[in-house]
């Protein structure tokens, strides 16, 4: 016999996860992120993608990526500070800065890495972070890594935030950090109010535009534009992996902030640069976002139709001002049942359970895309009607 298995404890963990109905599995999709996808050879309507504007499959974006792929090859070959920095990376950073109306911007390999590294570099031991309780995991992990003390305020509760910040003593730096659109609910923070609190109390402010970029604002640049506070948010973080339809994260702000990140942030310094194809796709996609506001208008029209239809059927729809429509289901079992019933009816939308959401707040979380037609949404509503609003959700 071999040595005793030092990983045997994992079996116990897995049993516990299964016992709580929290075991996670993968669904293999045999097509791109289009409105209709293939799962196990069967067509489904995709209501689960962050590809909000449909740009990951847009022929112009795909062509731009293909051109870059032939010219630059597959991998970038190094970190930005060694050999991985191309003219395309610089062009995309200029494009993001212009789009977000900031002096400069800096790319990361993902939004997760942008949050973790930037927060950990902005604050440290002796400093304080004020963080919305529903902030994304990458923000939470950045706070933990920083060793700053973290004060969590109730979701969207700017009165509590104001009290916490004004009570806070001690000489360290203070950072307020928040998602603008929240990833699991789709609701929106009052950014004007957050800016006022931050300015009044001399805090740094960092916002995460992951689900807002491409969706909010007249030109689609996000919540800073929507609230008209582009010049009041010193640290703007976002991702290129959602509405932009590509891959990567960024921080936009002053030239000094960007210089600081390039010199100090470990998840930037010790990470390989994005491949050229992804960078070229992002450049093309941001151009389309700026020039085709009709995509956003169509998307928000679909969201309204969908939310109204669900509410009329008696579903408990969380308030949303984005492409995310979450139907509250409560416990994991009921959530899995609804998602499975919808799947049976050809609708693919995920059951979201802890730790992605708080216990008792499970949900089926739909996300809509500008490439959906009115007909897709009506078919989805019909399936929700057949699956039936669940007992026990009120
Ligand atoms: C998705 C997401 C991220 C992470 O971005 P990636 O590019 O996927 O790593 C960060 N913050 C929020 C709010 C997100 O929804």
């Amino acid at each position: 016999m071999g040595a005793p298995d030092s990983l045997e404890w994992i079996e116990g963990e897995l049993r516990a996860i299964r016992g709580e109905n929290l075991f996670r599995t993968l669904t293999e999709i045999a097509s791109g992120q289009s409105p209709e996808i293939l799962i196990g050879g069967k067509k489904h309507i995709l209501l689960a993608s962050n590809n909000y504007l449909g740009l990951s499959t847009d022929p112009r974006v795909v062509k731009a990526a293909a051109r870059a792929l032939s010219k630059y090859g597959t991998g970038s070959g190094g970190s930005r500070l060694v050999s991985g920095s191309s003219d395309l990376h610089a062009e995309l950073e200029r494009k993001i800065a212009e789009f977000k109306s900031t002096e400069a911007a800096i790319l990361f390999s993902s939004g997760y890495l942008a949050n973790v590294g930037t927060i950990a570099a902005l604050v440290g031991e002796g400093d304080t972070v004020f963080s919305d309780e529903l902030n994304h995991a990458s923000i939470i992990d950045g706070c933990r890594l920083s060793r700053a003390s973290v004060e969590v305020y109730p979701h969207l509760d700017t009165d509590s935030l104001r009290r916490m910040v004004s009570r806070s003593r001690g000489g360290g730096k203070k950072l307020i950090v928040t998602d603008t659109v929240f990833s699991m609910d789709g609701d929106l923070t009052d950014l004007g109010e957050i800016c006022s609190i931050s300015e009044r109390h001399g805090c740094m402010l960092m916002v995460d535009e992951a689900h807002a970029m491409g969706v909010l604002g007249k030109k689609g640049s996000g919540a800073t534009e929507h609230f008209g506070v582009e010049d009041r948010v010193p640290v703007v973080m976002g991702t290129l992996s959602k509405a932009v339809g590509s891959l990567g994260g960024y921080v936009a702000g002053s030239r000094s902030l960007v210089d600081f990140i390039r010199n100090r942030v470990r998840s930037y310094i010790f990470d390989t640069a994005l491949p050229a194809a992804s960078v070229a796709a992002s450049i093309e996609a941001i151009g389309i976002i700026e020039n085709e506001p009709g995509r956003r208008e169509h998307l928000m029209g679909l969201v309204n139709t969908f939310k109204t239809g669900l509410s009329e059927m008696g579903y408990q729809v969380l308030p949303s001002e984005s492409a995310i429509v979450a139907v509250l289901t409560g416990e994991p079992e009921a959530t899995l049942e609804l998602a499975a019933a919808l799947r049976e009816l050809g609708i693919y939308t995920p059951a979201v359970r802890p730790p992605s959401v708080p216990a008792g707040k499970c949900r089926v979380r739909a996300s809509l895309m500008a490439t959906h037609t009115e007909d897709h949404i009506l078919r989805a509503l019909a399936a929700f009607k057949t699956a039936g609003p669940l007992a026990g959700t009120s």
Side-chain angles (χ1 to χ4, degrees):
M1 298 301 275
D5 183 0
S6 61
L7 296 183
E8 209 178 270
W9 60 273
I10 287 180
E11 299 306 327
E13 290 278 312
L14 289 174
R15 265 194 302 280
I17 297 170
R18 284 201 178 86
E20 292 173 81
N21 269 323
L22 295 179
F23 192 71
R24 290 158 179 244
T25 55
L26 300 178
T27 302
E28 288 174 19
I29 297 173
S31 47
Q33 300 281 294
S34 308
E36 298 189 20
I37 54 169
L38 283 177
I39 306 173
K42 187 180 157 201
K43 245 192 202 176
H44 289 70
I45 295 179
L46 174 63
L47 283 188
S49 182
N50 296 326
N51 180 30
Y52 300 128
L53 297 176
L55 294 176
S56 82
T57 52
D58 187 282
R60 294 164 290 179
V61 176
V62 174
K63 198 166 155 202
R67 260 200 316 269
L69 185 62
S70 338
K71 179 170 171 194
Y72 295 85
T74 50
S76 66
S79 68
R80 290 292 300 285
L81 290 166
V82 182
S83 69
S85 203
S86 73
D87 48 352
L88 281 182
H89 291 85
E91 184 184 341
L92 176 54
E93 286 173 336
R94 283 194 301 272
K95 183 110 193 157
I96 292 169
E98 185 205 326
F99 192 47
K100 299 298 294 179
S101 304
T102 58
E103 216 171 64
I106 184 164
L107 286 172
F108 288 79
S109 293
S110 74
Y112 187 98
L113 290 169
N115 268 336
V116 168
T118 302
I119 294 170
L122 287 175
V123 287
E125 220 161 332
D127 299 331
T128 308
V129 185
F130 301 90
S131 174
D132 186 290
E133 67 176 328
L134 294 190
N135 274 343
H136 190 261
S138 54
I139 293 180
I140 297 170
D141 294 352
C143 291
R144 288 179 182 159
L145 195 62
S146 76
R147 299 207 188 91
S149 60
V150 181
E151 296 204 28
V152 175
Y153 60 91
H155 183 47
L156 300 181
D157 187 345
T158 47
D159 288 336
S160 291
L161 171 63
R162 190 182 305 104
R163 272 195 303 277
M164 275 183 187
V165 173
S166 58
R167 260 203 330 256
S168 156
R169 301 281 173 257
K173 288 176 274 179
K174 294 182 223 170
L175 170 69
I176 298 173
V177 60
T178 182
D179 287 15
T180 55
V181 167
F182 284 81
S183 51
M184 289 302 136
D185 296 50
D187 51 0
L188 181 61
T189 198
D190 182 351
L191 210 43
E193 189 60 27
I194 300 258
C195 285
S196 301
I197 296 170
S198 168
E199 287 157 1
R200 170 108 198 256
H201 297 280
C203 301
M204 300 181 282
L205 173 61
M206 173 169 175
V207 303
D208 179 337
E209 293 266 60
H211 294 279
M213 189 186 193
V215 177
L216 291 181
K218 221 183 193 100
K219 68 173 184 189
S221 98
T224 54
E225 186 203 353
H226 174 81
F227 285 99
V229 295
E230 285 116 313
D231 54 352
R232 295 173 67 191
V233 182
V235 188
V236 180
M237 171 273 166
T239 177
L240 303 165
S241 332
K242 288 172 178 148
V244 179
S246 179
L247 174 70
Y250 65 84
V251 172
S254 68
R255 181 142 328 269
S256 304
L257 174 71
V258 164
D259 285 343
F260 172 76
I261 289 173
R262 198 177 292 117
N263 282 277
R264 277 288 156 80
V265 171
R266 295 170 65 85
S267 60
Y268 172 85
I269 297 170
F270 298 105
D271 188 40
T272 298
L274 285 166
S278 302
V279 175
S282 295
I283 294 170
E284 182 71 22
I286 293 172
I288 295 174
I289 293 173
E290 283 176 308
N291 294 322
E292 298 183 2
R295 303 177 88 86
R296 274 189 299 291
E297 287 153 20
H298 175 65
L299 172 64
M300 293 322 286
L302 296 178
V303 168
N304 274 331
T305 305
F306 192 55
K307 283 197 301 195
T308 309
L310 290 172
S311 300
E312 281 170 6
M313 287 172 208
Y315 281 104
Q316 201 176 333
V317 182
L318 294 177
S320 162
E321 298 184 61
S322 64
I324 299 162
V325 180
V327 174
L328 204 62
T329 44
E331 296 307 317
E333 203 170 26
T335 313
L336 289 169
E337 273 171 22
L338 177 58
L342 290 168
R343 177 87 169 262
E344 207 43 46
L345 295 163
I347 306 296
Y348 180 62
T349 185
V352 184
R353 294 160 288 162
S356 303
V357 292
K361 295 266 180 74
C362 293
R363 65 204 60 183
V364 165
R365 175 185 177 275
S367 42
L368 275 51
M369 302 185 289
T371 38
H372 283 126
T373 60
E374 187 87 18
D375 182 58
H376 287 125
I377 299 311
L378 296 178
R379 277 154 63 196
L381 282 171
F384 270 88
K385 182 150 198 161
T386 307
L390 293 162
T393 52
S394 53

